[in-house]
Amino acid sequence: PVPRNFTIHGLWPDKQRIMPINCPAKESYKSITDSKKIKLLEQHWPDLTSNQGSAEFWRYQYKKHGTCSVDLYNQEQYFDLAIELKEKFDLLKTLKNHGITPSKTNTVIDVEEAIKAVTKEVPNLNCI
């Protein structure tokens, strides 16, 4: 089913304000087996392109981006941080509270400013 709110696509934790990718793996990926964590990840970080479940998507995202932050977060902490941030910042509610709705035309700057007002960080947005 199509989610009724924004979901996580990836997490790129870094201190340089760049999007780290494909870093040498210092540890191998371990399949997530905790049923509570799987349920939270399926809710907040689903693979919207597959009906096979999201486990391979999580593995791919961790190997591509999460391994770049192993000095800061191990694999479990990486996924916990993604869930924590998603639950802390309700993007749909933030946009609505700033008058940004699907029926209204807004600029990228409008959206960035709304997100920055809540998160205190400038988001990395791409328009398609």
Side-chain angles (χ1 to χ4, degrees):
V2 176
R4 298 189 53 80
N5 201 336
F6 289 92
T7 61
I8 300 168
H9 172 76
L11 177 64
W12 302 274
D14 71 278
K15 293 182 179 181
Q16 292 81 35
R17 296 198 179 273
I18 59 168
M19 190 180 303
I21 59 170
N22 299 324
C23 298
K26 294 180 182 176
E27 58 184 63
S28 60
Y29 179 85
K30 296 170 193 72
S31 294
I32 299 167
T33 57
D34 180 305
S35 59
K36 184 177 177 185
K37 186 168 292 180
I38 290 171
K39 185 176 179 179
L40 282 170
L41 286 168
E42 285 289 358
Q43 176 186 353
H44 294 307
W45 197 339
D47 182 350
L48 300 176
T49 64
S50 170
N51 57 8
Q52 304 289 320
S54 302
E56 283 305 311
F57 183 52
W58 303 329
R59 174 191 308 273
Y60 172 79
Q61 287 296 318
Y62 181 75
K63 289 175 114 180
K64 186 170 183 181
H65 303 292
T67 56
C68 297
S69 64
V70 293
D71 293 338
L72 299 171
Y73 310 103
N74 64 31
Q75 179 183 317
E76 183 174 358
Q77 292 168 324
Y78 172 82
F79 287 106
D80 288 347
L81 177 61
I83 293 167
E84 178 185 324
L85 291 171
K86 173 65 177 96
E87 290 181 340
K88 181 177 179 178
F89 300 111
D90 184 335
L91 185 54
L92 189 60
K93 183 177 180 182
T94 295
L95 295 175
K96 282 182 184 176
N97 288 345
H98 286 85
I100 299 169
T101 60
S103 60
K104 184 178 169 205
T105 301
N106 299 282
T107 67
V108 172
I109 292 173
D110 293 337
V111 175
E112 285 178 345
E113 290 300 320
I115 295 169
K116 184 179 175 187
V118 174
T119 66
K120 310 298 183 229
E121 297 290 336
V122 177
N124 179 357
L125 298 179
N126 295 304
C127 294
I128 299 172

